[in-house]
Structures are given as structure tokens and as C-alpha cells.
């Protein structure tokens, strides 16, 4: 089968199309003929080599979520899964392939009206957005700033916060055109990447969901209200400065909080329940999906070039 592997960390050109033997599901696993593969921010961060200390090595096959048809099951798995359309979480590896392996505990049947492309646009991003807001103790009526709102996590955070009754939903983005699109999805104020540029924007925010991190992250602590909470859910802009916490300490009297959020800390049953609910909402048209582009698997390099260039609004999806 065809697969895409990281042959050299760094630039997108380090990705290469390779041939691999077709896998066989082990006990508790299923084999999926992929119809859609999500390209996520974590794939980009891994490919750049930022997470090398976590044990990623050359030859790594990126991709964490796929959708397709179950073609085989391992021992201990109900054979009725065979032939079903499913979404699957593959971890932090193994998605950029024609046939993917996933644990049966990490698959969900797709509603009839939800396409595989929409499923991989929503499956991980919607769940992360939901639990990131919960991690921040976000409440109706509070003001929210989504930093880096043009990606799939940011877009879904905007939608979920608006649906939850946010008092204001501000976003940082790179252009007026993107800002207009985000307004249609629930944003009330559009800021530039530094968090400025809107005269009517709130002076401070109760919650900031940060998908970017990077060198500028500490400057956003100044935009938190007293008792404000910032939650970092990604670092597509790289690691923040090592001393970023000093900015918080300098504003000690504001009682601000900072936290990271990883879906790894959420119980599998809770992740499944949220995904099931969101899939149903999307299939009813209540949660619009934003797909930037669908590309063939062999164009994974192009997909990552677009991600690095900041061209992507929503999700890029690969198809075998």
C-alpha cells in the first residue's frame, strides 16, 4: 500500500511517498480502507522536528485521524464492524496511509449524512475545542479570545463558544477576508495576529484559547481580565519563551491562570460521547464544517507547504 513518511525532519519536502505491506489488525484492532485523512497541526509540528524529544524518528508516518470502511478485524472484535463506515483515531502516527490500523475503542460509526471528509474535519478538532473550553471553565456570558482561529480547532472553538452563549468571541487572524468568514461562524470581533485592530473589541477577556503559542504568547496575558484563564491547546507557532511565566508573575494581583490542554487527559468514554454528539449535530447541519481543500495522498508535501505558508482556512484533507 501507499503511505507518506517523514524521511527528514524540517521542511515539507522531507515527506515522501513510500510503499509498505498491507497491515493486519491485531487483537482489539480494525483495518480501515481510508477514504479521508485529516491533516492536523500536530502533524506539522512533528514534521518540523519540534517534538523530537518525544521519541519521533525519521520514517515516522504522521496522521492521527482517518475515515473509511472497516475491511477486517482482529481477534476479540465484533465482526459486524466489517463493512461499516467509521471515523478513527490512530494516535499520533499511522494515518497517512491507504489502509490504517486503529483500536476498536477509538472508532465511531459515521451518521449516514456525514461524509468522511467532514468526519476528519470534526473528529479531533471539535472534541479538543469542547474540552479546551471546559478546561478553561468557560461560562455563558463570558468573553473569549481565540488566538489562531483560522485552523479547524479555532473555527470549532468559535462555533461552540457562540452556541454556548458567549458574551463576545474575538479572534486573531491574518486577513479581513478570514475575519469575515469567522464572523459568519460566530465571531463578534476580528483582531490582527497581535490581538489589536478592532476599536470596539473588549479591553480584556475572561478566557483565551491559544492554538499558536510561539514567541508572542506572553503578550496575550495582558489581554486577560482579572481571574482570566488562558489555555494553550497547540503550538503551531513554536514553543513559547522559557520565561513566559514571568509575565504572569508581573501581574500577580490579577489572579490569572495558565494551563495546557491535551485530549490525552480526557477519558475515552467522554471523548466518544462528545464526538458522537458533534457528529450528529454536523449531520443535521447545525455545526458547519470548513474544508480548505481535498488533495490526493501523494500531494502531502503540498498540503504541508500550504500549512507552513499560513494559507489554510479550516482543514486540509488527504484522500488515497
Amino acid at each position: 500500500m501507499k503511505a507518506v513518511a517523514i524521511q527528514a525532519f524540517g521542511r515539507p519536502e522531507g515527506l515522501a511517498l513510500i510503499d509498505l505491506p498491507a497491515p493486519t489488525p491485531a487483537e482489539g484492532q480494525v483495518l480501515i480502507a481510508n477514504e479521508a485523512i485529516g491533516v492536523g497541526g500536530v502533524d506539522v509540528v512533528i514534521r518540523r522536528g519540534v517534538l523530537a524529544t518525544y521519541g519521533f524518528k525519521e520514517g515516522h508516518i504522521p496522521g492521527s485521524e482517518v475515515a473509511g470502511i472497516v475491511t477486517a478485524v482482529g481477534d476479540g472484535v465484533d465482526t459486524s464492524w466489517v463493512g461499516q463506515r467509521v471515523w478513527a483515531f490512530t494516535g499520533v502516527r499511522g494515518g497517512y496511509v491507504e489502509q490504517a490500523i486503529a483500536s476498536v475503542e477509538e472508532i465511531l460509526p459515521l451518521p449516514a449524512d456525514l461524509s468522511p471528509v467532514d468526519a476528519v474535519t470534526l473528529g479531533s478538532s471539535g472534541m479538543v475545542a469542547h474540552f479546551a473550553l471546559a478546561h478553561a471553565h468557560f461560562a455563558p456570558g463570558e468573553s473569549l479570545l481565540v488566538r489562531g482561529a483560522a485552523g479547524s480547532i479555532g473555527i470549532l472553538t468559535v462555533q461552540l463558544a457562540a452556541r454556548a452563549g458567549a458574551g463576545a468571541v474575538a479572534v486573531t487572524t491574518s486577513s479581513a477576508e478570514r475575519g469575515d468568514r469567522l464572523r459568519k461562524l460566530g465571531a463578534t470581533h476580528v483582531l490582527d495576529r497581535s490581538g489589536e485592530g478592532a476599536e470596539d473589541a473588549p479591553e480584556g477577556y475572561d478566557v483565551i484559547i491559544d492554538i499558536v503559542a510561539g514567541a508572542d504568547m506572553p503578550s496575550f496575558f495582558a489581554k486577560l481580565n482579572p481571574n482570566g484563564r488562558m489555555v494553550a491547546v497547540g503550538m503551531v507557532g513554536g514553543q513559547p519563551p522559557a520565561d513566559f511565566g514571568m509575565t504572569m508573575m508581573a501581574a500577580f494581583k490579577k489572579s490569572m491562570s495558565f494551563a495546557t490542554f491535551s485530549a490525552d487527559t480526557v477519558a475515552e468514554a467522554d471523548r466518544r460521547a462528545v464526538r458522537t454528539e458533534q457528529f450528529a449535530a454536523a449531520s443535521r447541519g447545525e455545526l458547519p464544517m470548513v474544508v480548505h481543500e481535498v488533495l490526493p495522498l501523494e500531494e502531502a508535501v503540498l498540503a504541508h507547504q500550504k500549512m507552513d505558508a499560513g494559507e489554510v482556512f479550516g482543514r486540509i484533507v488527504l484522500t488515497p
Side-chain angles (χ1 to χ4, degrees), residues 4-237:
V4 172
I6 301 173
Q7 302 290 53
F9 289 107
R11 295 179 57 80
E13 293 75 18
L15 295 168
L17 190 68
I18 62 173
D19 287 303
L20 291 176
T24 301
E27 182 176 357
Q29 295 180 333
V30 302
L31 178 65
I32 300 165
N34 284 344
E35 296 179 326
I37 302 159
V39 177
V42 67
D43 303 343
V44 173
V45 172
I46 291 171
R47 185 261 302 157
R48 289 173 181 164
V50 175
L51 302 180
T53 56
Y54 288 82
F56 295 104
K57 298 179 180 179
E58 291 179 352
H60 174 86
I61 296 173
S64 62
E65 61 183 312
V66 302
I69 298 173
V70 176
T71 57
V73 300
D75 291 343
V77 179
D78 190 334
T79 56
S80 66
W81 279 110
V82 175
Q84 288 202 48
R85 299 168 64 249
V86 300
W87 171 92
F89 178 65
T90 61
V92 292
R93 67 185 72 241
Y96 289 17
V97 294
E98 291 181 317
Q99 300 179 70
I101 292 287
S103 166
V104 70
E105 296 178 348
E106 296 285 5
I107 65 174
L108 277 177
L110 295 186
D113 294 332
L114 188 67
S115 72
V117 168
D118 283 349
V120 298
T121 300
L122 175 61
S124 288
S125 296
M127 181 272 298
V128 169
H130 172 93
F131 285 109
L133 289 168
H135 201 62
H137 302 286
F138 178 73
E142 288 193 314
S143 57
L144 171 73
L145 171 61
V146 182
R147 182 172 178 238
S152 54
I153 293 176
I155 287 169
L156 283 156
T157 302
V158 167
Q159 292 189 66
L160 294 179
R163 293 179 70 192
V169 180
V171 295
T172 69
T173 190
S174 60
S175 70
E177 184 270 337
R178 289 185 172 198
D180 289 342
R181 296 181 70 180
L182 287 162
R183 284 184 184 277
K184 293 176 181 177
L185 294 166
T188 57
H189 302 83
V190 177
L191 313 176
D192 61 23
R193 285 179 171 175
S194 70
E196 305 296 336
E199 294 182 0
D200 61 340
E203 293 185 5
Y205 301 90
D206 300 308
V207 170
I208 297 176
I209 301 296
D210 189 348
I211 304 153
V212 180
D216 293 334
M217 190 186 82
S219 67
F220 282 81
F221 287 121
K223 300 184 182 302
L224 281 175
N225 289 332
N227 299 306
R229 295 88 70 194
M230 181 188 293
V231 175
V233 300
M235 51 180 181
V236 295

Side-chain angles (χ1 to χ4, degrees), residues 37-40 96 117 120-121 152 290-295 299-300 302-307 311-318:
I37 302 159
V39 177
Y96 289 17
V117 168
V120 298
T121 300
S152 54
V290 180
V291 178
H292 180 83
E293 191 171 4
V294 178
L295 295 170
E299 292 191 22
L302 177 60
H304 277 243
Q305 288 171 338
K306 290 174 179 285
M307 293 282 282
E311 298 177 8
V312 179
F313 185 87
R315 175 74 95 184
I316 289 185
V317 177
L318 301 175

